[in-house]
Amino acid sequence: MNPSPDLSRFPSDEPCPVKRIGRDPGHHFFGYYDKTNWGAQDRLLLGHRVADRDFELTPETVAEIGYYEMADDRIFHVIGSTTAWNWQMGSQLQWLDAAAGQRLVYNVQAEGELYPGFGSVIHDLKTGESRLLQTPIYVAAPNGRYAVTVDYDRLYITHRTIGYVGENGPKRDLPLCPDDDGIHRVDLETGETQMLISYAGLKALDHQPSMDKAIHWVSHIEINPSSDRILFLHRWTERVEDETCFLHRLITMNPDGSDVRILECSDHPLPQLAEDFDPTQVGTFDYEKSEYQISHPLWRDDRHVIVWGPHDGSIHYHLYEDADDGQVTIIGKGILTENGHMTYSPVDKRWLLTDTYPDPVTNERVLILFDVDNNVRYDVGSFYADPALTKDNRCDLHPRWSQDGQRVCIDSMHQHERQMYEIDVSSIVNSKGGRTS
Protein backbone atom coordinates (compact mmCIF):
# COMPACT_ATOMS: atom_id res chain seq x y z
CA MET A 1 0.00 0.00 0.00
CA ASN A 2 1.25 3.48 -0.83
CA PRO A 3 1.94 5.72 2.18
CA SER A 4 -0.62 8.41 2.96
CA PRO A 5 0.14 11.75 1.31
CA ASP A 6 1.77 14.52 3.31
CA LEU A 7 -1.26 16.13 4.94
CA SER A 8 0.07 19.65 5.39
CA ARG A 9 3.40 21.44 4.99
CA PHE A 10 4.40 24.77 6.49
CA PRO A 11 7.63 26.78 6.21
CA SER A 12 9.67 25.99 9.31
CA ASP A 13 10.76 29.60 9.77
CA GLU A 14 7.23 30.99 9.55
CA PRO A 15 5.07 28.51 11.49
CA CYS A 16 1.34 28.81 10.85
CA PRO A 17 -0.37 26.32 13.18
CA VAL A 18 -3.30 24.44 11.70
CA LYS A 19 -6.07 23.02 13.83
CA ARG A 20 -9.16 21.06 12.97
CA ILE A 21 -12.31 22.81 14.21
CA GLY A 22 -14.43 20.50 16.35
CA ARG A 23 -14.21 16.79 17.00
CA ASP A 24 -17.90 15.91 16.96
CA PRO A 25 -19.29 13.27 14.56
CA GLY A 26 -20.11 14.08 10.95
CA HIS A 27 -18.51 16.10 8.18
CA HIS A 28 -18.42 19.90 8.29
CA PHE A 29 -17.89 22.65 5.74
CA PHE A 30 -18.92 26.24 5.17
CA GLY A 31 -18.83 26.81 1.42
CA TYR A 32 -17.66 29.72 -0.63
CA TYR A 33 -14.74 32.09 -0.13
CA ASP A 34 -16.68 35.35 -0.55
CA LYS A 35 -18.57 35.33 2.76
CA THR A 36 -16.82 35.07 6.10
CA ASN A 37 -18.18 32.46 8.49
CA TRP A 38 -16.47 34.17 11.46
CA GLY A 39 -18.84 36.26 13.58
CA ALA A 40 -19.24 38.04 16.93
CA GLN A 41 -15.60 39.22 17.09
CA ASP A 42 -14.51 35.76 15.94
CA ARG A 43 -16.23 33.96 18.83
CA LEU A 44 -18.61 32.06 16.52
CA LEU A 45 -18.01 30.14 13.31
CA LEU A 46 -20.84 29.16 10.97
CA GLY A 47 -20.94 25.89 9.06
CA HIS A 48 -22.91 22.99 7.60
CA ARG A 49 -22.86 19.40 8.88
CA VAL A 50 -23.56 16.44 6.58
CA ALA A 51 -23.60 12.66 6.99
CA ASP A 52 -20.70 11.78 4.71
CA ARG A 53 -17.78 13.46 3.01
CA ASP A 54 -19.01 13.16 -0.59
CA PHE A 55 -22.10 11.83 -2.33
CA GLU A 56 -24.49 12.80 -5.09
CA LEU A 57 -27.07 15.32 -3.95
CA THR A 58 -30.82 14.77 -4.29
CA PRO A 59 -33.73 17.08 -3.42
CA GLU A 60 -34.06 15.15 -0.13
CA THR A 61 -30.42 15.42 1.00
CA VAL A 62 -30.23 17.24 4.34
CA ALA A 63 -27.49 19.55 5.59
CA GLU A 64 -27.67 20.77 9.17
CA ILE A 65 -27.03 24.48 9.82
CA GLY A 66 -25.12 25.53 12.90
CA TYR A 67 -22.09 27.12 14.50
CA TYR A 68 -19.08 26.50 16.71
CA GLU A 69 -18.19 28.50 19.82
CA MET A 70 -14.49 28.94 19.19
CA ALA A 71 -13.33 29.56 22.76
CA ASP A 72 -15.38 26.92 24.55
CA ASP A 73 -16.64 23.47 23.70
CA ARG A 74 -16.06 23.48 19.95
CA ILE A 75 -19.23 21.43 19.63
CA PHE A 76 -21.38 22.04 16.56
CA HIS A 77 -24.58 23.74 17.73
CA VAL A 78 -27.42 22.94 15.31
CA ILE A 79 -30.00 25.67 14.69
CA GLY A 80 -31.79 24.30 11.61
CA SER A 81 -31.53 22.21 8.47
CA THR A 82 -31.96 22.59 4.72
CA THR A 83 -32.31 20.57 1.54
CA ALA A 84 -31.35 23.56 -0.64
CA TRP A 85 -27.58 23.37 -0.86
CA ASN A 86 -24.58 22.26 -2.92
CA TRP A 87 -20.98 21.32 -2.14
CA GLN A 88 -19.47 24.56 -3.47
CA MET A 89 -21.64 27.28 -1.93
CA GLY A 90 -23.57 25.33 0.66
CA SER A 91 -26.94 26.94 1.42
CA GLN A 92 -25.53 30.48 0.95
CA LEU A 93 -25.29 30.56 4.75
CA GLN A 94 -24.07 34.01 5.85
CA TRP A 95 -24.19 36.57 8.64
CA LEU A 96 -26.51 39.55 8.37
CA ASP A 97 -24.47 41.27 11.10
CA ALA A 98 -21.07 39.63 11.30
CA ALA A 99 -19.74 42.01 13.95
CA ALA A 100 -22.63 41.28 16.33
CA GLY A 101 -22.98 37.66 15.28
CA GLN A 102 -26.68 37.52 16.05
CA ARG A 103 -28.61 37.19 12.78
CA LEU A 104 -27.86 34.82 9.93
CA VAL A 105 -29.62 33.66 6.76
CA TYR A 106 -29.59 30.49 4.66
CA ASN A 107 -31.60 28.97 1.79
CA VAL A 108 -34.25 26.26 2.12
CA GLN A 109 -36.79 24.47 -0.01
CA ALA A 110 -40.12 26.29 0.39
CA GLU A 111 -43.24 27.19 -1.55
CA GLY A 112 -41.55 30.31 -2.83
CA GLU A 113 -43.19 33.24 -4.57
CA LEU A 114 -40.45 34.50 -6.88
CA TYR A 115 -38.90 31.09 -7.54
CA PRO A 116 -41.35 28.32 -6.56
CA GLY A 117 -39.58 25.63 -4.58
CA PHE A 118 -37.03 27.81 -2.80
CA GLY A 119 -36.98 30.37 -0.02
CA SER A 120 -34.68 31.43 2.79
CA VAL A 121 -34.66 31.53 6.59
CA ILE A 122 -33.49 34.42 8.76
CA HIS A 123 -32.50 33.13 12.21
CA ASP A 124 -31.82 35.15 15.35
CA LEU A 125 -29.33 33.39 17.65
CA LYS A 126 -30.26 35.56 20.63
CA THR A 127 -34.01 34.93 20.55
CA GLY A 128 -33.94 31.55 18.81
CA GLU A 129 -36.62 32.76 16.41
CA SER A 130 -36.66 32.04 12.66
CA ARG A 131 -38.50 33.85 9.90
CA LEU A 132 -39.18 32.42 6.44
CA LEU A 133 -38.76 34.52 3.30
CA GLN A 134 -40.52 33.33 0.17
CA THR A 135 -37.37 34.06 -1.83
CA PRO A 136 -33.91 32.45 -1.82
CA ILE A 137 -30.92 34.74 -1.54
CA TYR A 138 -27.53 34.80 -3.19
CA VAL A 139 -25.76 37.47 -1.17
CA ALA A 140 -26.89 39.87 1.57
CA ALA A 141 -25.74 43.48 1.67
CA PRO A 142 -23.28 44.35 4.46
CA ASN A 143 -25.85 46.79 5.87
CA GLY A 144 -28.27 43.87 6.37
CA ARG A 145 -31.15 45.65 4.65
CA TYR A 146 -31.41 43.82 1.35
CA ALA A 147 -30.15 40.80 -0.56
CA VAL A 148 -29.76 39.95 -4.22
CA THR A 149 -30.88 36.69 -5.80
CA VAL A 150 -31.22 34.70 -9.02
CA ASP A 151 -32.96 31.49 -10.11
CA TYR A 152 -31.22 28.41 -8.65
CA ASP A 153 -33.11 26.16 -11.09
CA ARG A 154 -31.41 28.05 -13.92
CA LEU A 155 -28.04 27.75 -12.20
CA TYR A 156 -28.51 23.98 -11.87
CA ILE A 157 -28.89 23.72 -15.65
CA THR A 158 -26.22 26.24 -16.65
CA HIS A 159 -23.61 25.76 -13.90
CA ARG A 160 -24.64 22.73 -11.91
CA THR A 161 -22.02 23.00 -9.17
CA ILE A 162 -23.67 26.17 -7.80
CA GLY A 163 -27.35 25.40 -8.47
CA TYR A 164 -30.11 23.55 -6.64
CA VAL A 165 -32.39 20.83 -7.95
CA GLY A 166 -35.96 21.02 -6.69
CA GLU A 167 -38.41 18.29 -5.70
CA ASN A 168 -39.64 17.94 -9.29
CA GLY A 169 -36.14 17.47 -10.70
CA PRO A 170 -34.16 19.64 -13.12
CA LYS A 171 -36.15 22.01 -15.30
CA ARG A 172 -35.51 21.36 -18.97
CA ASP A 173 -37.66 24.06 -20.54
CA LEU A 174 -35.88 27.17 -19.32
CA PRO A 175 -36.01 30.04 -21.85
CA LEU A 176 -32.59 31.02 -23.18
CA CYS A 177 -32.82 34.71 -22.38
CA PRO A 178 -36.11 35.79 -20.77
CA ASP A 179 -37.20 39.39 -20.27
CA ASP A 180 -39.20 38.54 -17.13
CA ASP A 181 -36.36 37.12 -15.07
CA GLY A 182 -32.86 38.18 -14.11
CA ILE A 183 -31.26 39.67 -11.00
CA HIS A 184 -33.70 40.50 -8.21
CA ARG A 185 -33.31 42.61 -5.10
CA VAL A 186 -34.99 41.31 -1.93
CA ASP A 187 -36.00 43.55 0.99
CA LEU A 188 -34.93 41.50 4.02
CA GLU A 189 -37.52 43.14 6.26
CA THR A 190 -40.63 42.92 4.06
CA GLY A 191 -39.62 40.18 1.60
CA GLU A 192 -40.62 42.40 -1.32
CA THR A 193 -38.68 41.86 -4.55
CA GLN A 194 -37.66 44.07 -7.45
CA MET A 195 -36.03 42.97 -10.71
CA LEU A 196 -32.90 45.02 -11.26
CA ILE A 197 -31.96 43.82 -14.74
CA SER A 198 -33.33 41.03 -16.96
CA TYR A 199 -31.42 38.46 -18.95
CA ALA A 200 -32.83 40.05 -22.11
CA GLY A 201 -31.56 43.39 -20.86
CA LEU A 202 -28.09 41.95 -20.34
CA LYS A 203 -28.11 40.46 -23.83
CA ALA A 204 -29.02 43.85 -25.29
CA LEU A 205 -26.25 45.57 -23.31
CA ASP A 206 -23.33 45.91 -25.73
CA HIS A 207 -24.70 42.89 -27.60
CA GLN A 208 -22.28 40.27 -28.96
CA PRO A 209 -23.18 37.81 -31.78
CA SER A 210 -22.10 34.87 -29.58
CA MET A 211 -25.11 35.63 -27.36
CA ASP A 212 -27.76 34.96 -29.99
CA LYS A 213 -28.14 31.17 -29.64
CA ALA A 214 -26.87 30.94 -26.07
CA ILE A 215 -28.54 30.43 -22.71
CA HIS A 216 -27.77 33.27 -20.27
CA TRP A 217 -27.31 33.38 -16.50
CA VAL A 218 -25.71 35.39 -13.70
CA SER A 219 -23.42 34.24 -10.87
CA HIS A 220 -20.81 35.52 -8.40
CA ILE A 221 -22.91 38.45 -7.21
CA GLU A 222 -21.15 40.61 -4.63
CA ILE A 223 -22.10 43.83 -2.82
CA ASN A 224 -19.49 46.41 -1.82
CA PRO A 225 -18.81 47.34 1.84
CA SER A 226 -21.04 50.44 1.73
CA SER A 227 -23.88 48.43 0.14
CA ASP A 228 -24.22 50.97 -2.68
CA ARG A 229 -22.73 49.01 -5.59
CA ILE A 230 -23.21 45.45 -6.91
CA LEU A 231 -20.90 43.36 -9.09
CA PHE A 232 -21.75 40.14 -10.93
CA LEU A 233 -20.67 37.84 -13.74
CA HIS A 234 -22.91 37.63 -16.80
CA ARG A 235 -22.30 34.31 -18.52
CA TRP A 236 -23.66 32.66 -21.64
CA THR A 237 -23.02 29.51 -23.67
CA GLU A 238 -24.42 27.26 -26.38
CA ARG A 239 -23.15 24.14 -24.56
CA VAL A 240 -23.73 23.94 -20.83
CA GLU A 241 -22.14 20.47 -20.67
CA ASP A 242 -18.70 21.95 -21.37
CA GLU A 243 -17.66 24.79 -19.07
CA THR A 244 -14.75 25.73 -21.35
CA CYS A 245 -17.45 27.01 -23.70
CA PHE A 246 -18.66 29.59 -21.18
CA LEU A 247 -18.31 33.25 -22.11
CA HIS A 248 -18.05 35.94 -19.44
CA ARG A 249 -18.54 39.59 -18.59
CA LEU A 250 -17.71 41.39 -15.36
CA ILE A 251 -20.39 44.01 -14.65
CA THR A 252 -21.26 46.46 -11.88
CA MET A 253 -24.42 48.45 -11.15
CA ASN A 254 -26.25 50.39 -8.46
CA PRO A 255 -28.63 48.58 -6.07
CA ASP A 256 -31.61 49.94 -8.03
CA GLY A 257 -30.28 48.58 -11.35
CA SER A 258 -29.03 51.91 -12.65
CA ASP A 259 -25.55 52.92 -13.87
CA VAL A 260 -24.70 49.51 -15.34
CA ARG A 261 -21.01 49.31 -16.23
CA ILE A 262 -19.09 46.58 -18.11
CA LEU A 263 -15.60 46.27 -16.64
CA GLU A 264 -14.43 43.31 -18.76
CA CYS A 265 -15.66 41.00 -21.52
CA SER A 266 -13.92 37.74 -22.47
CA ASP A 267 -15.95 36.94 -25.59
CA HIS A 268 -13.72 34.76 -27.78
CA PRO A 269 -13.88 32.08 -30.54
CA LEU A 270 -15.03 28.65 -29.36
CA PRO A 271 -13.55 25.76 -31.37
CA GLN A 272 -15.05 23.50 -28.68
CA LEU A 273 -18.43 23.94 -30.36
CA ALA A 274 -17.30 21.77 -33.27
CA GLU A 275 -19.55 18.76 -33.84
CA ASP A 276 -16.79 16.26 -33.10
CA PHE A 277 -15.75 17.82 -29.77
CA ASP A 278 -16.19 15.48 -26.78
CA PRO A 279 -16.99 17.44 -23.59
CA THR A 280 -16.36 14.32 -21.47
CA GLN A 281 -12.65 14.77 -22.21
CA VAL A 282 -12.56 18.10 -20.39
CA GLY A 283 -10.67 17.72 -17.11
CA THR A 284 -12.19 18.55 -13.73
CA PHE A 285 -10.22 21.80 -13.43
CA ASP A 286 -9.72 22.72 -17.11
CA TYR A 287 -12.39 25.39 -16.81
CA GLU A 288 -10.77 27.05 -13.80
CA LYS A 289 -7.44 27.05 -15.62
CA SER A 290 -8.80 28.45 -18.90
CA GLU A 291 -6.95 31.46 -20.31
CA TYR A 292 -10.31 33.17 -20.90
CA GLN A 293 -11.96 32.55 -17.55
CA ILE A 294 -13.25 35.56 -15.58
CA SER A 295 -13.42 34.11 -12.12
CA HIS A 296 -13.95 34.83 -8.41
CA PRO A 297 -14.50 38.61 -8.39
CA LEU A 298 -14.67 40.40 -5.06
CA TRP A 299 -14.66 43.99 -3.83
CA ARG A 300 -11.37 45.16 -2.32
CA ASP A 301 -13.14 48.30 -1.15
CA ASP A 302 -16.08 50.40 -2.32
CA ARG A 303 -14.55 51.26 -5.70
CA HIS A 304 -12.13 48.48 -6.65
CA VAL A 305 -12.71 44.85 -7.74
CA ILE A 306 -10.13 42.04 -7.63
CA VAL A 307 -10.64 39.21 -10.12
CA TRP A 308 -8.78 36.47 -11.97
CA GLY A 309 -9.26 37.04 -15.69
CA PRO A 310 -7.94 38.28 -19.03
CA HIS A 311 -7.27 41.93 -19.86
CA ASP A 312 -5.40 43.33 -22.85
CA GLY A 313 -4.58 39.83 -24.07
CA SER A 314 -3.11 38.29 -20.92
CA ILE A 315 -4.60 36.68 -17.82
CA HIS A 316 -3.62 37.68 -14.28
CA TYR A 317 -5.02 38.74 -10.96
CA HIS A 318 -6.41 42.14 -12.02
CA LEU A 319 -7.60 45.01 -9.85
CA TYR A 320 -10.31 47.08 -11.59
CA GLU A 321 -11.34 50.59 -10.70
CA ASP A 322 -15.14 50.68 -10.86
CA ALA A 323 -15.38 53.71 -13.12
CA ASP A 324 -15.82 54.50 -16.81
CA ASP A 325 -12.38 53.93 -18.35
CA GLY A 326 -11.15 52.99 -14.88
CA GLN A 327 -7.59 51.86 -14.31
CA VAL A 328 -6.77 48.13 -14.40
CA THR A 329 -3.72 46.98 -12.43
CA ILE A 330 -1.99 43.59 -12.45
CA ILE A 331 -1.53 42.12 -8.96
CA GLY A 332 1.38 39.72 -8.41
CA LYS A 333 2.62 39.62 -12.00
CA GLY A 334 4.80 36.53 -12.48
CA ILE A 335 4.12 35.45 -8.88
CA LEU A 336 0.38 34.77 -8.68
CA THR A 337 0.14 32.77 -11.87
CA GLU A 338 -3.04 30.71 -11.55
CA ASN A 339 -6.69 31.06 -10.65
CA GLY A 340 -7.68 31.10 -6.98
CA HIS A 341 -10.25 32.27 -4.43
CA MET A 342 -8.97 35.65 -3.32
CA THR A 343 -9.91 38.09 -0.56
CA TYR A 344 -8.19 41.06 1.04
CA SER A 345 -7.62 41.18 4.78
CA PRO A 346 -10.51 42.94 6.53
CA VAL A 347 -8.05 45.02 8.58
CA ASP A 348 -5.05 45.53 6.27
CA LYS A 349 -5.32 45.64 2.46
CA ARG A 350 -1.60 44.89 2.28
CA TRP A 351 -2.52 41.21 2.56
CA LEU A 352 -4.27 39.21 -0.17
CA LEU A 353 -5.37 35.68 0.73
CA THR A 354 -5.83 33.09 -2.01
CA ASP A 355 -5.35 29.43 -2.95
CA THR A 356 -4.71 27.21 -5.96
CA TYR A 357 -6.47 24.32 -7.61
CA PRO A 358 -4.82 20.88 -7.21
CA ASP A 359 -1.48 20.31 -8.86
CA PRO A 360 -1.99 17.72 -11.63
CA VAL A 361 0.91 15.58 -10.36
CA THR A 362 0.87 15.92 -6.56
CA ASN A 363 -2.86 16.72 -6.13
CA GLU A 364 -1.86 19.37 -3.59
CA ARG A 365 -3.57 22.74 -3.16
CA VAL A 366 -1.50 25.66 -1.88
CA LEU A 367 -2.78 28.30 0.54
CA ILE A 368 -1.14 31.65 -0.21
CA LEU A 369 -0.71 35.00 1.51
CA PHE A 370 0.49 37.74 -0.83
CA ASP A 371 2.05 40.96 0.42
CA VAL A 372 0.70 43.45 -2.14
CA ASP A 373 2.87 46.32 -0.91
CA ASN A 374 6.15 44.41 -1.21
CA ASN A 375 5.19 41.97 -3.99
CA VAL A 376 6.07 38.95 -1.85
CA ARG A 377 4.31 35.57 -1.82
CA TYR A 378 4.12 33.36 1.28
CA ASP A 379 3.01 29.75 0.76
CA VAL A 380 1.25 29.12 4.07
CA GLY A 381 0.51 25.44 3.55
CA SER A 382 -0.16 22.64 1.08
CA PHE A 383 -3.20 20.37 1.34
CA TYR A 384 -3.87 17.11 -0.45
CA ALA A 385 -7.04 16.83 -2.59
CA ASP A 386 -8.43 13.41 -3.47
CA PRO A 387 -8.31 13.18 -7.30
CA ALA A 388 -11.32 10.84 -7.25
CA LEU A 389 -13.61 13.74 -6.33
CA THR A 390 -15.67 15.15 -9.17
CA LYS A 391 -16.42 18.72 -10.16
CA ASP A 392 -19.72 18.57 -8.29
CA ASN A 393 -18.50 17.17 -4.95
CA ARG A 394 -14.92 18.47 -4.80
CA CYS A 395 -13.71 20.38 -1.76
CA ASP A 396 -11.93 23.65 -2.60
CA LEU A 397 -10.09 25.37 0.24
CA HIS A 398 -12.18 28.56 -0.12
CA PRO A 399 -10.08 30.44 2.49
CA ARG A 400 -11.94 32.94 4.69
CA TRP A 401 -10.41 35.61 6.95
CA SER A 402 -11.24 36.00 10.61
CA GLN A 403 -12.56 39.46 11.46
CA ASP A 404 -9.33 40.43 13.20
CA GLY A 405 -7.22 39.37 10.20
CA GLN A 406 -5.11 36.98 12.28
CA ARG A 407 -6.61 33.62 11.30
CA VAL A 408 -8.01 31.82 8.29
CA CYS A 409 -10.71 29.15 8.03
CA ILE A 410 -10.58 26.62 5.18
CA ASP A 411 -12.63 23.63 4.07
CA SER A 412 -10.42 20.64 3.35
CA MET A 413 -10.35 16.85 2.95
CA HIS A 414 -6.62 16.32 3.41
CA GLN A 415 -7.30 14.05 6.42
CA HIS A 416 -9.83 12.04 4.41
CA GLU A 417 -12.84 13.75 5.98
CA ARG A 418 -14.59 16.96 4.90
CA GLN A 419 -13.82 19.34 7.77
CA MET A 420 -13.11 22.98 8.58
CA TYR A 421 -9.65 24.03 9.76
CA GLU A 422 -8.35 27.12 11.54
CA ILE A 423 -4.91 28.41 10.53
CA ASP A 424 -3.05 31.04 12.56
CA VAL A 425 -1.34 33.41 10.08
CA SER A 426 -0.37 36.05 12.65
CA SER A 427 3.35 35.25 12.32
CA ILE A 428 3.16 36.45 8.71
CA VAL A 429 0.65 39.30 8.74
CA ASN A 430 2.19 40.93 11.81
CA SER A 431 5.68 40.92 10.34
CA LYS A 432 7.19 44.25 9.26
CA GLY A 433 9.35 43.10 6.39
CA GLY A 434 8.95 40.80 3.41
CA ARG A 435 10.36 37.38 2.70
CA THR A 436 10.18 35.14 -0.32
CA SER A 437 8.56 31.78 0.32
Side-chain angles (χ1 to χ4, degrees):
M1 178 180 291
N2 293 327
S4 297
D6 186 14
L7 299 184
S8 58
R9 298 196 303 269
F10 298 91
S12 59
D13 56 343
E14 288 286 0
C16 295
V18 58
K19 183 187 335 182
R20 173 176 159 175
I21 297 169
R23 287 290 177 182
D24 47 319
H27 296 256
H28 305 78
F29 74 104
F30 176 69
Y32 228 35
Y33 72 104
D34 59 332
K35 307 169 185 71
T36 183
N37 53 338
W38 302 81
Q41 290 76 50
D42 299 325
R43 291 185 295 103
L44 304 179
L45 194 79
L46 296 178
H48 304 81
R49 181 166 69 185
V50 293
D52 209 342
R53 70 170 208 161
D54 61 272
F55 46 84
E56 185 173 352
L57 302 184
T58 72
E60 295 77 34
T61 307
V62 174
E64 293 177 301
I65 306 296
Y67 64 92
Y68 285 101
E69 294 186 12
M70 297 299 288
D72 298 323
D73 53 16
R74 298 251 177 159
I75 298 298
F76 191 71
H77 299 271
V78 177
I79 60 161
S81 64
T82 181
T83 52
W85 64 281
N86 54 58
W87 290 114
Q88 279 288 291
M89 294 184 173
S91 62
Q92 295 289 23
L93 174 63
Q94 57 201 279
W95 292 109
L96 293 181
D97 54 0
Q102 180 174 333
R103 294 195 309 147
L104 54 92
V105 62
Y106 57 94
N107 288 333
V108 294
Q109 290 200 48
E111 290 297 325
E113 294 178 353
L114 179 63
Y115 298 118
F118 299 108
S120 54
V121 168
I122 295 177
H123 182 82
D124 189 308
L125 290 179
K126 185 176 182 180
T127 66
E129 296 178 351
S130 294
R131 179 165 58 93
L132 177 66
L133 293 179
Q134 298 298 321
T135 308
I137 63 117
Y138 196 101
V139 63
N143 64 14
R145 297 174 184 170
Y146 72 93
V148 181
T149 195
V150 291
D151 183 1
Y152 284 91
D153 278 317
R154 175 171 288 268
L155 284 179
Y156 190 81
I157 297 301
T158 57
H159 198 167
R160 178 172 169 169
T161 59
I162 59 173
Y164 304 149
V165 58
E167 291 182 353
N168 297 321
K171 294 183 178 178
R172 301 297 184 185
D173 56 350
L174 291 173
L176 296 180
C177 192
D179 60 7
D180 60 352
D181 192 19
I183 304 176
H184 284 81
R185 173 174 169 154
V186 183
D187 187 307
L188 291 176
E189 184 62 33
T190 66
E192 295 179 358
T193 64
Q194 170 194 358
M195 187 163 68
L196 302 181
I197 191 167
S198 70
Y199 294 114
L202 287 171
K203 179 180 177 181
L205 179 68
D206 193 22
H207 175 264
Q208 305 296 317
S210 60
M211 299 177 179
D212 290 338
K213 300 178 181 179
I215 188 169
H216 295 245
W217 72 100
V218 162
S219 66
H220 294 77
I221 312 170
E222 307 293 344
I223 304 173
N224 71 351
S226 293
S227 303
D228 64 3
R229 196 77 178 154
I230 299 171
L231 73 79
F232 59 93
L233 294 181
H234 170 214
R235 288 174 165 166
W236 65 98
T237 188
E238 293 183 37
R239 181 181 285 170
V240 296
E241 300 85 0
D242 178 5
E243 292 180 341
T244 61
C245 290
F246 290 2
L247 299 171
H248 319 258
R249 293 198 298 191
L250 175 63
I251 299 177
T252 61
M253 66 180 176
N254 289 336
D256 62 359
S258 65
D259 193 18
V260 180
R261 183 178 295 138
I262 300 173
L263 299 186
E264 191 64 71
C265 179
S266 72
D267 187 25
H268 58 91
L270 290 172
Q272 300 97 317
L273 290 178
E275 291 294 330
D276 61 350
F277 186 80
D278 182 4
T280 64
Q281 297 305 304
V282 178
T284 300
F285 298 101
D286 286 359
Y287 169 61
E288 282 77 11
K289 298 179 180 181
S290 165
E291 62 183 307
Y292 300 110
Q293 160 86 300
I294 297 180
S295 183
H296 306 132
L298 204 68
W299 293 97
R300 185 193 75 174
D301 50 44
D302 280 338
R303 296 295 174 259
H304 294 88
V305 175
I306 183 76
V307 69
W308 172 263
H311 179 74
D312 283 345
S314 61
I315 192 163
H316 302 280
Y317 280 71
H318 283 114
L319 186 69
Y320 287 78
E321 181 185 8
D322 181 26
D324 294 327
D325 299 319
Q327 185 177 2
V328 182
T329 305
I330 297 174
I331 304 297
K333 185 175 183 178
I335 303 173
L336 301 177
T337 57
E338 58 183 296
N339 191 2
H341 304 94
M342 72 294 280
T343 52
Y344 283 88
S345 165
V347 297
D348 186 354
K349 303 306 178 189
R350 168 187 172 185
W351 296 106
L352 181 70
L353 175 68
T354 190
D355 60 358
T356 68
Y357 287 96
D359 180 273
V361 176
T362 66
N363 297 306
E364 298 261 338
R365 304 172 183 270
V366 180
L367 182 66
I368 299 167
L369 270 175
F370 184 68
D371 183 341
V372 178
D373 291 352
N374 296 298
N375 219 37
V376 175
R377 167 176 166 165
Y378 297 86
D379 287 0
V380 174
S382 180
F383 300 86
Y384 180 76
D386 187 345
L389 295 174
T390 68
K391 178 169 284 294
D392 290 342
N393 66 8
R394 71 184 193 265
C395 183
D396 295 339
L397 296 181
H398 291 156
R400 302 167 294 269
W401 287 100
S402 61
Q403 293 176 305
D404 65 4
Q406 300 293 299
R407 291 170 289 170
V408 172
C409 176
I410 63 170
D411 299 335
S412 183
M413 293 174 63
H414 63 271
Q415 291 182 318
H416 315 298
E417 297 181 9
R418 189 182 297 260
Q419 301 292 353
M420 295 190 291
Y421 294 83
E422 170 191 358
I423 302 172
D424 184 344
V425 296
S426 60
S427 62
I428 297 177
V429 299
N430 295 336
S431 64
K432 300 297 184 182
R435 177 190 65 79
T436 56
S437 58

